[in-house]
Amino acid sequence: MAIVSRNSKIDAQEIFEKLLPDFEIRINIMQFLVESINYAHNINPDKWNLNLDNKGRFIRFNTGSGYCFTICHNNEIHLICNRPTLEKAAIHFDGKIIYGYYENKKEKRSANMKETKDCLIRITDSVLCIIQSKDAIQYIPIMLPSNFDYIDKAMESESAHGYHMKYTHSIGAIAYLNEALNKFVPNPIYSEDYFIYAKEKALKVKSIGYINPINAPNVANK
C-alpha cells in the first residue's frame, strides 16, 4: 500500500473504511472515539493526538504518556481503562472482553482481568481491553466511564511520546470525523515551545503530519 498522508481526509476515509467496513459499526465506533477525544481535549488540548498510521494498519488515539483507543487491522478495538471502575462494569461483559498486558516485551492475553498486570508502566491501574469490532456497539458504552477515568490519570502523567506524538497527529483523520459524523471534532492546540522545537527539528523528523494543526493549510480535503 502507498504511504498514507496524515494530512489527507481522503486517505483517512479509506483507512477508516478498510479497518471498519460495516457502516453501522464504523459510525458507532467513531462516535465512541470522538467522546474520548473530547473528554481529553477538555482536560488539556496540548496533550493528545490522533495517529493515522502511515501504512494504514491502525488508527490510534493517544493521551498523555499512553495510548488510549486503537482501531486495529484485525477487527479488534483496543481500549485502555481504569482497573477499579472497570471491575465494577465487568459483570456486564458476558465473557466477551479479553484483557492484555506486556511481559518481557511480549503481549499476553487473558479472559480474567485479575490475571493481568498494568498494561502501561507509567500509569497505574491501566488495563488493555480487547473488543471485537462487531461487539463494540454493545460493550464500549459500558466501558467509556472507565476509559475516562484512565484518561484522567494519563493526562496527569509526563508524556513518553514527547514531540514525536505531536508530529504524528492526523488533521486528515479529524477532518474525516467532522464530515462523517456531521459534528465538530477539535484538533489539539499545541503549545509554543513545541512549535519552536518543531521548527528547529523539522528537517530531521520523518513524519507526514503537519506540525501545526491550528494553522494548517487546507490540505485535509485532498
Side-chain angles (χ1 to χ4, degrees):
M1 180 177 179
I3 294 295
V4 171
S5 170
R6 293 187 175 107
N7 291 337
S8 171
K9 181 178 70 177
I10 301 302
D11 283 7
Q13 178 176 354
E14 180 180 340
I15 301 308
F16 269 101
E17 291 179 353
K18 182 185 80 169
L19 297 177
L20 299 168
D22 182 275
F23 176 79
E24 183 181 6
I25 291 173
R26 182 170 65 252
I27 289 295
N28 277 275
I29 289 176
M30 290 194 301
Q31 293 273 16
F32 301 146
L33 173 62
V34 168
E35 287 188 52
S36 287
I37 287 174
N38 284 334
Y39 187 83
H41 188 80
N42 288 333
I43 295 172
N44 189 340
D46 182 40
K47 215 170 181 181
W48 66 271
N49 87 338
L50 184 61
N51 181 3
L52 181 72
D53 177 56
N54 62 15
K55 294 183 180 179
R57 298 166 297 183
F58 61 82
I59 299 162
R60 177 172 293 146
F61 169 49
N62 299 294
T63 54
S65 65
Y67 55 100
C68 181
F69 192 132
T70 307
I71 302 169
C72 304
H73 69 281
N74 55 354
N75 297 314
E76 290 182 351
I77 306 300
H78 291 186
L79 188 71
I80 313 297
C81 291
N82 173 263
R83 189 180 299 271
T85 46
L86 188 67
E87 287 174 345
K88 296 175 183 178
I91 59 172
H92 303 290
F93 294 165
D94 306 319
K96 294 291 183 70
I97 308 302
I98 300 296
Y99 307 100
Y101 64 99
Y102 290 90
E103 191 170 82
N104 298 323
K105 297 183 179 180
K106 293 183 179 180
E107 184 188 273
K108 294 195 172 186
R109 297 186 174 193
S110 174
N112 186 349
M113 190 194 316
K114 294 181 179 179
E115 294 179 353
T116 66
K117 301 177 181 178
D118 291 349
C119 66
L120 297 170
I121 295 173
R122 292 178 176 83
I123 305 173
T124 58
D125 292 326
S126 55
V127 180
L128 168 60
C129 303
I130 301 162
I131 310 140
Q132 293 298 307
S133 56
K134 63 181 177 62
D135 296 324
I137 295 175
Q138 181 175 353
Y139 294 110
I140 290 184
I142 304 170
M143 304 168 79
L144 275 180
S146 182
N147 174 249
F148 292 170
D149 287 345
Y150 160 77
I151 291 173
D152 286 336
K153 298 185 77 168
M155 297 293 267
E156 292 174 355
S157 60
E158 195 65 32
S159 176
H161 301 284
Y163 295 108
H164 175 73
M165 183 179 78
K166 298 176 181 182
Y167 266 103
T168 58
H169 175 68
S170 173
I171 61 171
I174 294 293
Y176 172 65
L177 290 171
N178 272 274
E179 180 179 276
L181 300 177
N182 193 28
K183 65 167 60 176
F184 174 73
V185 183
N187 274 290
I189 303 172
Y190 295 140
S191 59
E192 285 302 315
D193 63 334
Y194 163 65
F195 297 120
I196 293 169
Y197 179 94
K199 185 175 181 181
E200 293 173 350
K201 302 294 183 181
L203 296 178
K204 299 179 182 180
V205 177
K206 296 179 181 179
S207 173
I208 302 169
Y210 194 78
I211 67 170
N212 189 337
I214 302 305
N215 299 322
N218 187 23
V219 292
N221 292 320
K222 295 180 180 179

